[in-house]
Structures are given as C-alpha cells and as structure tokens.
Amino acid sequence: MVTATTSNALIEMRGVTKVYGTGSAAVTALGGIDLTVERGEFVAVMGPSGSGKSTCMNILGCLDTPTDGTYRFGDAEVGSLTQDERALLRRYYIGFVFQGFNLLARTSALENVELPMIYRRMPVAERRDAARRALGLVGLTGWDDHTPAELSGGQQQRVAIARAIVTSPSVLFADEPTGNLDRARGREILDLLVDLNRTRGITIIMVTHDHDIAEFSRRIVTIVDGLVESDHAVKRDA
C-alpha cells in the first residue's frame, strides 16, 4: 500500500482542516494545517488543551480523516482510502504508544508484544523471537513472563513501546507517553525514545503539552487554535 517515493518525506499535510458538527453547531478543530515530516525525524507536537494537537495526531495516525485538505502517508492519499484500507495502513506501517499503557492485564509481557503479529498471522516461533528482540531493545530482556501487575509503570510503558516497534513500523506515534509516570521513570522513557530514533532511525511523532518533554525531540511544532503557530529545530548545547 505504501511504497518509497523519490522524496524523503514520510508525511505531508496540506491545508488540512477538521470541522465537527454543522451549521451553528460547527466547531473547527483544525483550521488549515501544513506539515511535512521526513523519514528519521523526531518531532514533538505541542499545544495547550483544546489547541487541536490531539485532532492532528488522530488524523496523522489514520484514526480520523480531514474535512478538507490533503494528507499523504508515503505515496498513499489517506483521505481517499476506505476505512478498511486505513486499518491496514495502521496495522503495517504505524505504531502507537499512549499515556495509558493499554496492556492486557492477565497476559505476559511477551504475549502483549506478540499481539500485532498475531493480527498479521505470523507463525508462533517467528513472532516470539521478534517479541523477545523488541523487549531486549527496550531493556526488558528476561522479563518475558511478567504480567503488567508485576511491572512498574515505567516497565509497562517499555512493554507498550516494544509492542509498538516490534513490526518495524514506518512511524511511531507517542501521545503523552510519560503522562502516567513520575519524573524519573518519564525521563527513562524519553531517553529510550531518543535512543530508538538515533540508533535505529525510527521516525517518531510525540504529542505533549510540556515544553521540557518536547525538548527531547529534534523539532518542535506548536499548534494553537487549530493552526501551526511555530515550527523550529531544537537547539542542542555544544
């Protein structure tokens, strides 16, 4: 469905709007977003509550469609895809990490990470090997058999990240990934995302309302009142 293009752009939004309701009840969540994300970038999308950043993330993640404008993911025009086609795009090309860890409570870490591969009908031995490798990448080698109740919050989020990257997606969307963690555990998760981006080239788009968290990315896009207010690279100390 998605193939390589001559451009390095993975994501291109042009004039994307989202309006909920009609007539006098219409609410404009996005007023015309232009955004390009290249392969291998780590982008933070910032904005206050109600700014439209979550709506933008839902469209980027193919969970919703624009009211107007165009959104291209690779060579696919997302607005022209059917609901089933968008589901396939999510399954094969997109990984998600949310504020809530969304792990199956009575299922081991290994089995939680295996889930996306079950949907792909991968053979048992192949998917278990891949799940163990993913757990190793997030620092959880040897924790295969532990259930969520036996893991700390930070460890549960690591399992969620392993589940999101086990299929080698084109992009990882992280929606407030440290929101349910204390400062120390949150820093560990942010350091892990930075490492995955730098060493494995995983494209990451992270939504946050916290500027300190956004500074872990390499580029910050700020959305206010449904529009891109600013878009700049993160400056690192020499």
Side-chain angles (χ1 to χ4, degrees), residues 3 11-12 16 47 51 53-54 56 78-79 85 94 97 100 176 227:
T3 59
I11 283 169
E12 291 184 285
V16 167
S51 63
K53 65 182 186 298
S54 293
C56 185
V78 176
E85 287 172 335
I94 297 175
V97 177
E176 301 281 6
L227 296 169

Side-chain angles (χ1 to χ4, degrees), residues 98-135:
F98 299 101
Q99 179 174 336
F101 315 128
N102 296 336
L103 302 179
L104 298 181
R106 296 173 183 168
T107 304
S108 70
L110 186 72
E111 291 166 331
N112 268 287
V113 177
E114 283 185 76
L115 281 174
M117 296 176 288
I118 292 174
Y119 298 139
R120 290 188 176 192
R121 304 182 186 278
M122 288 177 62
V124 174
E126 184 179 345
R127 72 178 187 242
R128 287 190 176 167
D129 286 346
R132 288 191 179 97
R133 287 195 298 272
L135 285 170

Side-chain angles (χ1 to χ4, degrees), residues 54-216:
S54 293
T55 300
C56 185
M57 176 69 97
N58 286 340
I59 292 174
L60 287 170
C62 300
L63 298 169
D64 202 353
T65 55
T67 301
D68 201 0
T70 61
Y71 170 33
R72 297 190 67 83
F73 187 100
D75 65 350
E77 169 50 61
V78 176
S80 67
L81 300 180
T82 65
Q83 186 172 346
D84 287 345
E85 287 172 335
R86 292 199 307 275
L88 287 173
L89 195 154
R90 291 194 301 271
R91 182 182 302 175
Y92 286 96
Y93 299 98
I94 297 175
F96 293 97
V97 177
F98 299 101
Q99 179 174 336
F101 315 128
N102 296 336
L103 302 179
L104 298 181
R106 296 173 183 168
T107 304
S108 70
L110 186 72
E111 291 166 331
N112 268 287
V113 177
E114 283 185 76
L115 281 174
M117 296 176 288
I118 292 174
Y119 298 139
R120 290 188 176 192
R121 304 182 186 278
M122 288 177 62
V124 174
E126 184 179 345
R127 72 178 187 242
R128 287 190 176 167
D129 286 346
R132 288 191 179 97
R133 287 195 298 272
L135 285 170
L137 286 175
V138 300
L140 289 179
T141 299
W143 291 83
D144 301 11
D145 297 328
H146 290 67
T147 64
E150 298 169 323
L151 301 172
S152 68
Q155 288 172 322
Q156 290 183 57
Q157 191 64 299
R158 286 173 182 267
V159 173
I161 292 171
R163 182 180 58 193
I165 66 172
V166 71
T167 56
S168 300
S170 298
V171 61
L172 175 64
F173 290 107
D175 191 357
E176 301 281 6
T178 65
N180 284 343
L181 303 174
D182 61 37
R183 188 176 183 85
R185 301 293 82 75
R187 174 62 188 257
E188 290 176 0
I189 294 302
L190 292 168
D191 286 341
L192 173 59
L193 293 176
V194 168
D195 182 67
L196 290 171
N197 174 252
R198 288 179 176 172
T199 65
R200 302 192 66 82
I202 296 175
T203 306
I204 299 176
I205 300 178
M206 176 177 67
V207 165
T208 181
H209 66 279
D210 189 321
H211 190 270
D212 290 339
I213 291 174
E215 287 286 333
F216 280 80

